[in-house]
Amino acid sequence: MVSRVIPVDPFDLVIFGGTGDLAKRKILPGLFIRFRAGQMPEDSRIIGAARADLDDAGFRKMAQAALTEFVARDKLDAEVMGRFLQRLHYVSIDATGEGGWTELAGLMRPGVVRAFYFSVAPSLFGDLAERLHAHGIAEPQSRIVVEKPFGRDLASAEALNAVLAAHFDERQIYRIDHYLGKETVQNLMAVRFANILFEPVWNAQYVDHVQITVAETVGVGGRGSYYDKSGAMRDMVQNHMMQLLCLIAMEPPYKFDPNAVRDEKLKVIRALEPVPPEDIVRGQYRGVPGKDGRDGKAEPSYVEDVGDPQSRTESYIALKVRVANWRWQGTPFYLRTGKKLRGRTSEIAIVFKEAPHSLFGENESWKANVLTIRLQPNEGMNLSVMIKEPGPGGMRLTDVPLDMSFADALGEEGTDIPDAYERLIMDVIRGNQTLFMRGDEVEAAWAWTDPIIKGWEERGDRPRGYDPYSSGPEDALMLLHRDGRRWREIRE
Ligand code: NAD
């Protein structure tokens, strides 16, 4: 298959927080890979802007170390790296002070795309937006990119939106949810809306239920103090899993246009029913004493990891969600996500109803069709279908996978899937907001989330303990059992 990389227009991208963890691990490596692929024009520039007292040479050195650490070795071509580093500049700036802004203004070139990546704490967004305008750096066509967390409740999300709206139009604001940049997630839309096969059965009449799982094997580790203030509901469900749910549940947009897609997603969020307490299970991982942990040493529990024995924050959550509209009446969406679980898996499973009539008599191996969309590991899709078991012995049935792994189906190009950040940053430069969250979507998602969290706080809800590297708390199994269903296995 021939690569179809279309270069974007030349740009000046300013990364506020250019010396931070996100810039080193994702933004700079992502830009480097796109540069290497020929998508980032040679006359584009990346300007790091942060508090550290560096010059261009110092920033390039830092970037080189970050690329060496975070880019796959077979993609680290010294000559390309040298050319890429020449595109990098640095200005020492304090978002809350006046130093550095005149210098930054002097660096900006007329006639190229201007984008500003706010890779700093959200409390600095207002200061940055204000100073970009006060110093005449932001233009009506400039774009800003902001990261999660986008608020921690409806009120703070509204306040953040207001801070940005004071200086930028919605069409200039790119709120990143990197799940939307994943190839499979985009493929979900292609599969649904570019084929005749799926859409006619994509509703409550044919879909029994949907499972969305995001399981991690790691604990909160060094992020304990940050994580403990948010928990799985705020960190994963309100944003990433909500976005996945929207793409599965939404009506076909009238075209693949940013606002058409986002209008449909918004309708789904608004159709979500409040979730009663009996439909939610929260958990916290336990510790492992002695030498029984994974690496033969003791492992801390969640509360030890975050350093607060009284913490009631969940490291696991499972919920049964209902979308109250015509299409989904009676089809539950089960969501679960957690840390220190049995395997590292992200997948969406559309579990269809069983065939209405058992033509082949009682058959123990009879299974409903399942369409699985794997985000991790090995992005791809799998449709399980029933067939006749080969050979003699009568009409015995078995289920086989119609596996669509990108690597197998698309050859080399299928294995070279761009990282979500690469894709999303290029979309910012192209001016395509389709895969970014609109302000009203974020607010609607918080409006649904807030009463759930408030309910826990009011009731003094305590998460249940679960064993590390298990499938989560026992009660989460019951959430499906009582509906006559079962979770899909989380594979190690
Ligand atoms: P970090 O603490 O590693 O880096 C922060 C950066 O901001 C540094 O470059 C620092 O110099 C700069 N900075 C701090 N105060 C400043 C000021 N007053 N003026 C100018 N620059 C200032 O943080 P990070 O992990 O890179 O995260 C950046 C943002 O991205 C945060 O909002 C975070 O929540 C979000 N985020 C990070 C990740 C990640 O994987 N690191 C993932 C998702 C979202």
Side-chain angles (χ1 to χ4, degrees):
M1 203 172 272
V2 184
S3 172
R4 290 190 210 94
V5 172
I6 303 168
V8 295
D9 290 335
F11 59 84
D12 280 346
L13 169 69
V14 180
I15 310 174
F16 292 107
T19 58
D21 177 65
L22 185 68
K24 287 181 189 159
R25 278 194 313 113
K26 292 290 177 187
I27 307 173
L28 290 168
L31 284 160
F32 171 75
I33 299 288
R34 292 294 97 208
F35 180 78
R36 181 177 175 271
Q39 196 164 24
M40 176 180 150
E42 295 275 348
D43 57 345
S44 296
R45 295 187 316 177
I46 298 156
I47 301 159
R51 271 192 309 198
D53 189 16
L54 289 177
D55 55 10
D56 287 356
F59 185 55
R60 288 172 188 169
K61 205 167 159 201
M62 183 219 83
Q64 182 170 14
L67 297 179
T68 308
E69 185 172 356
F70 296 112
V71 174
R73 198 161 284 227
D74 61 341
K75 293 188 172 153
L76 273 181
D77 183 320
E79 187 271 329
V80 182
M81 167 117 82
R83 279 193 287 125
F84 176 77
L85 293 174
Q86 287 309 307
R87 312 316 315 146
L88 267 50
H89 301 269
Y90 186 81
V91 189
S92 176
I93 233 168
D94 185 347
T96 58
E98 298 312 320
W101 289 95
T102 313
E103 196 187 341
L104 180 62
L107 269 179
M108 304 307 291
R109 299 172 298 169
V112 299
V113 174
R114 261 179 212 191
F116 304 98
Y117 205 126
F118 289 9
S119 183
V120 293
S123 55
L124 295 174
F125 289 0
D127 290 304
L128 290 178
E130 215 164 90
R131 284 177 175 73
L132 281 172
H133 276 85
H135 292 270
I137 301 171
E139 297 175 325
Q141 295 309 321
S142 302
R143 289 141 211 183
I144 59 166
V145 187
V146 296
E147 273 290 341
K148 84 168 196 183
F150 205 83
R152 55 174 285 107
D153 53 20
L154 177 58
S156 53
E158 283 174 340
L160 263 186
N161 274 338
V163 158
L164 298 179
H167 298 284
F168 295 95
D169 284 347
E170 184 62 37
R171 67 178 168 78
Q172 297 179 278
I173 305 171
Y174 291 72
R175 292 178 195 77
I176 286 217
D177 185 317
H178 71 275
Y179 269 57
L180 290 179
K182 288 179 186 281
E183 194 75 7
T184 346
V185 173
Q186 297 164 61
N187 235 317
L188 181 57
M189 284 189 276
V191 163
R192 279 194 64 189
F193 304 129
N195 296 289
I196 192 82
L197 274 181
F198 297 104
E199 206 47 28
V201 292
W202 206 266
N203 54 52
Q205 194 181 346
Y206 296 103
V207 177
D208 181 73
H209 70 281
V210 175
Q211 295 186 20
I212 307 178
T213 300
V214 178
E216 293 177 87
T217 49
V218 292
V220 293
R223 284 175 74 224
S225 58
Y226 161 79
Y227 188 90
D228 199 44
K229 292 193 207 81
S230 84
M233 186 71 182
R234 286 191 172 99
D235 194 49
M236 291 299 302
V237 177
Q238 184 273 343
N239 39 43
H240 307 314
M241 297 181 86
M242 174 76 77
Q243 290 295 323
L244 299 180
L245 187 152
C246 283
L247 295 178
I248 301 162
M250 73 181 183
E251 296 301 317
Y254 74 97
K255 64 175 171 173
F256 194 58
D257 158 276
N259 279 330
V261 172
R262 298 186 299 178
D263 285 346
E264 295 307 333
K265 288 197 295 168
L266 179 61
K267 285 186 211 163
V268 173
I269 304 175
R270 290 194 172 145
L272 295 180
E273 285 189 0
V275 186
E278 63 272 20
D279 286 351
I280 305 177
V281 177
R282 299 165 72 223
Q284 270 181 354
Y285 55 83
R286 300 192 181 102
V288 192
K291 293 187 166 45
D292 297 335
R294 262 207 172 168
D295 298 322
K297 47 184 191 225
E299 291 196 26
S301 63
Y302 175 82
V303 292
E304 286 164 344
D305 263 343
V306 302
D308 175 8
Q310 299 305 321
S311 170
R312 293 185 176 186
T313 306
E314 74 285 354
S315 63
Y316 174 98
I317 188 166
L319 350 76
K320 176 178 174 181
V321 178
R322 292 183 184 81
V323 183
N325 62 17
W326 272 51
R327 185 188 281 260
W328 296 114
Q329 200 51 251
T331 295
F333 286 67
Y334 299 100
L335 275 48
R336 66 177 161 166
T337 179
K339 295 198 173 285
K340 274 219 184 176
L341 294 177
R342 184 191 305 268
R344 185 164 179 243
T345 309
S346 301
E347 66 162 40
I348 299 164
I350 317 287
V351 182
F352 290 92
K353 291 189 173 166
E354 286 182 6
H357 169 62
S358 175
L359 182 68
F360 305 108
E362 285 300 308
N363 199 306
E364 278 180 8
S365 49
W366 188 287
K367 291 200 184 100
N369 301 126
V370 182
L371 176 68
T372 318
I373 297 124
R374 272 192 318 269
L375 280 68
Q376 197 154 254
N378 312 327
E379 290 199 53
M381 297 198 193
N382 181 329
L383 177 65
S384 74
V385 290
M386 296 305 295
I387 61 156
K388 176 190 168 299
E389 226 178 80
M395 200 59 167
R396 286 176 292 114
L397 302 179
T398 185
D399 66 312
V400 292
L402 283 181
D403 204 332
M404 296 167 271
S405 137
F406 295 148
D408 294 346
L410 303 174
E412 198 180 311
E413 207 163 298
T415 54
D416 206 14
I417 299 171
D419 175 79
Y421 274 90
E422 293 173 33
R423 159 81 202 220
L424 293 174
I425 298 170
M426 290 299 107
D427 276 358
V428 172
I429 307 300
R430 275 190 284 251
N432 184 348
Q433 288 184 304
T434 310
L435 300 175
F436 296 83
M437 294 180 296
R438 210 168 53 192
D440 51 4
E441 268 184 87
V442 177
E443 289 182 13
W446 280 121
W448 176 79
T449 310
D450 271 7
I452 297 175
I453 295 178
K454 202 158 166 246
W456 302 335
E457 288 167 358
E458 283 171 1
R459 290 193 304 278
D461 190 81
R462 275 192 179 281
R464 277 75 153 175
Y466 63 92
D467 288 338
Y469 314 117
S470 68
S471 301
E474 288 287 317
D475 290 10
L477 303 181
M478 288 311 298
L479 192 64
L480 270 75
H481 275 193
R482 65 171 203 224
D483 294 345
R485 301 181 175 112
R486 61 197 310 176
W487 287 110
R488 290 168 55 78
E489 199 183 322
I490 299 175
R491 287 181 201 282
E492 273 188 49

